[in-house]
Amino acid sequence: MDGKDYNKLLEILIHGNIDFIAIAVSPWHALGIDAFLYELSDRLDRKIKGVIIIEQHSGNYTLNEGNFYSNSFADIEYFSNESQSNNELTLSIAFYKTIKIIRGLFNIIHEKKTKKNKTIYLVTPLWVNISFIRYFCKKDISNRYKPVFILVDEGLGTYLSKKVWKLVDKKQNYSIIKTVKQDLLNKLSIDKRTTSLLRFLKCVELNERFLFKKSIPLKINSNIAENYKKIINLQNDLRMATNDSILIITQPFSEKNMMLQKDEMNIMKSLIDYLNELEYKVFLKPHPAEKINKYDNITCPNLIIIKDDLMAEKIIPNLNPNFVIGYTSTVLINSSLLYGITTISLVDMLLNLSNNELLHVSSLEFKKLMGNSIYFVNCIDEIKKLI
């Protein structure tokens, strides 16, 4: 967020008497934020007021105000936060922002002993975004608000182990030296390490509002799930319902160099050909990070490729498919546990064609988390027993 927007947000905090600040990168984050704001408005029994900061993802997602459905129960001012390049975020700027965070944290700890007139909810996906703390370097703000962090669901990553996240860091070539050179705050401010530190210091309240309980296998948080469903049902006019349909959810494995695209496409073509023989109407929803024309060469009279930005979780209750088929997507978790739809994973077929360490470790954890909630098949022929 540039200096102009930062100062504007400071003015809103000082004079606006707001209830929340939220930050989102993906449509799934937007849904989690909407669900919490719906709950908050219902609990306070009034229309709430606040700010949503939209972080622009590096090309994979297009997030805008249209992804949020809180307007009926919240007055929202939106900010767009463009990612800064390595050249734009100099070490001196990062150091200056870090000093503000330290001052803000000191003010929060100092004011914790006194009564605050108002709680402000700082809503972020999965981990704390400690850069929020810099707003509290102003005494006018730290004296006025008591900050409470609300952590909303990130998707599958919410429930994966430290082992998987270490592999992610390894793939991204994470290091402290690289961090300082490139982007101090982007690497350290939104992080499991800072979340753990704030838990240890007990200087701010942290509440998890995840869709599922962290257990093996996963179990749904019923009250939170109901709020997710209520938000999803706000968009119930897609008119996609049809008899004998199947929804296929794909993922960017070849784009992330986890396997060869030809192997990925062979699996998908075999699946679609088989479903076509059974005369199912097949809806294929690619992941936003996949190449836009990736599946155009798959021809099938009953195949519809959904290329718009509509989130799969909003397609499912409108389409009401007989089955959902995919690999390890968050959508499979939700189709099974949130909507009770028969769900099939082809991830074992992928593992036979790839030696990628991250794919293998994360897929095995996915299988443990799902238990018997999803059917796992080793070949297309095994699907015949389920459909």
Side-chain angles (χ1 to χ4, degrees):
M1 183 177 292
D2 62 26
K4 183 178 179 181
D5 282 343
Y6 173 73
N7 289 331
K8 183 178 179 182
L9 186 47
L10 286 179
E11 287 298 311
I12 292 173
L13 281 164
I14 293 170
H15 303 294
N17 197 34
I18 62 175
D19 300 292
F20 66 89
I21 305 175
I23 192 164
V25 178
S26 74
W28 182 248
H29 300 162
L31 177 58
I33 290 168
D34 278 340
F36 171 73
L37 297 183
Y38 178 88
E39 175 190 334
L40 179 62
S41 175
D42 185 62
R43 174 155 47 90
L44 297 178
D45 194 27
R46 62 175 173 81
K47 197 168 188 178
I48 56 177
K49 185 178 181 181
V51 169
I52 292 179
I53 302 169
I54 297 173
E55 288 274 5
Q56 296 303 327
H57 196 275
S58 57
N60 293 341
Y61 303 102
T62 302
L63 192 66
N64 54 52
E65 296 178 24
N67 293 103
F68 296 88
Y69 295 91
S70 304
N71 292 335
S72 60
F73 48 86
D75 290 325
I76 302 170
E77 185 154 359
Y78 292 92
F79 288 78
S80 181
N81 192 14
E82 300 289 343
S83 297
Q84 290 180 299
S85 69
N86 296 336
N87 291 331
E88 289 175 317
L89 186 60
T90 64
L91 188 57
S92 61
I93 293 174
F95 179 76
Y96 178 65
K97 290 181 177 179
T98 303
I99 292 299
K100 284 187 173 181
I101 290 171
I102 294 171
R103 287 175 56 192
L105 195 57
F106 177 82
N107 286 344
I108 290 170
I109 293 171
H110 181 262
E111 294 295 332
K112 189 178 180 183
K113 300 175 183 178
T114 64
K115 290 185 178 181
K116 296 292 188 298
N117 293 328
K118 189 174 184 64
T119 296
I120 185 167
Y121 296 92
L122 308 175
V123 191
T124 61
L126 185 54
W127 294 317
V128 166
N129 186 326
I130 203 172
S131 63
F132 278 146
I133 301 294
R134 64 187 170 129
Y135 301 122
F136 294 84
C137 71
K138 298 284 188 182
K139 281 285 188 179
D140 287 347
I141 295 172
S142 63
N143 290 340
R144 183 174 189 176
Y145 294 103
K146 172 191 173 183
V148 173
F149 275 100
I150 302 295
L151 310 182
V152 298
D153 204 283
E154 163 65 21
L156 175 60
T158 308
Y159 311 99
L160 294 176
S161 69
K162 292 180 181 179
K163 182 178 181 180
V164 174
W165 283 108
K166 284 180 180 179
L167 286 174
V168 172
D169 285 346
K170 180 180 177 182
K171 181 183 176 184
Q172 295 175 345
N173 194 23
Y174 180 94
S175 72
I176 294 298
I177 294 175
K178 183 179 179 182
T179 292
V180 172
K181 286 183 177 179
Q182 289 191 351
D183 191 337
L184 183 65
L185 289 178
N186 284 351
K187 289 292 185 183
L188 293 181
S189 65
I190 313 168
D191 197 282
K192 53 186 174 294
R193 299 164 183 83
T194 51
T195 303
S196 298
L197 177 62
L198 289 181
R199 287 189 193 280
F200 175 76
L201 293 175
K202 297 181 179 180
C203 54
V204 293
E205 185 178 342
L206 276 71
N207 292 325
E208 294 179 349
R209 307 297 297 166
F210 299 149
L211 189 52
F212 303 101
K213 300 173 185 177
K214 290 186 176 180
S215 61
I216 297 178
L218 290 177
K219 295 179 181 178
I220 201 161
N221 278 318
S222 299
N223 293 337
I224 296 174
E226 285 305 309
N227 290 330
Y228 271 69
K229 284 184 176 181
K230 286 173 183 176
I231 297 300
I232 289 171
N233 288 337
L234 291 176
Q235 183 172 337
N236 58 4
D237 58 348
L238 300 180
R239 299 177 184 178
M240 297 178 68
T242 182
N243 294 327
D244 297 326
S245 65
I246 291 178
L247 178 63
I248 298 175
I249 304 297
T250 60
Q251 292 173 250
F253 295 113
S254 56
E255 283 82 358
K256 294 184 178 180
N257 298 315
M258 291 182 166
M259 67 182 303
L260 297 175
Q261 182 170 317
K262 68 178 184 65
D263 292 333
E264 196 178 19
M265 297 303 292
N266 285 339
I267 292 174
M268 195 51 52
K269 188 175 187 309
S270 298
L271 173 64
I272 291 172
D273 286 345
Y274 171 66
L275 297 177
N276 186 49
E277 290 176 8
L278 299 180
E279 298 184 352
Y280 277 100
K281 194 165 188 177
V282 179
F283 293 80
L284 189 150
K285 182 68 176 76
H287 190 279
E290 292 184 274
K291 298 172 185 175
I292 191 168
N293 298 319
K294 183 175 180 178
Y295 300 100
D296 285 1
N297 291 331
I298 298 180
T299 56
C300 170
N302 292 324
L303 174 65
I304 297 175
I305 300 176
I306 305 170
K307 289 188 177 181
D308 59 31
D309 295 329
L310 189 63
M311 191 168 58
E313 282 80 3
K314 293 182 179 179
I315 295 173
I316 291 172
N318 285 278
L319 180 61
N320 193 26
N322 298 65
F323 305 92
V324 174
I325 302 176
Y327 299 105
T328 61
S329 170
T330 301
V331 181
L332 271 65
I333 303 175
N334 296 327
S335 68
S336 175
L337 299 182
L338 194 60
Y339 289 105
I341 294 174
T342 302
T343 305
I344 302 169
S345 172
L346 312 178
V347 68
D348 287 337
M349 296 175 65
L350 287 186
L351 298 182
N352 292 331
L353 299 169
S354 172
N355 60 2
N356 182 273
E357 184 182 11
L358 179 56
L359 177 60
H360 275 259
V361 173
S362 59
S363 297
L364 291 176
E365 287 203 8
F366 177 81
K367 294 178 71 172
K368 288 180 181 178
L369 289 169
M370 295 314 301
N372 297 322
S373 300
I374 286 179
Y375 294 99
F376 294 91
V377 299
N378 286 292
C379 61
I380 299 298
D381 285 342
E382 290 185 12
I383 297 178
K384 296 177 183 178
K385 302 174 184 178
L386 304 173
I387 295 181

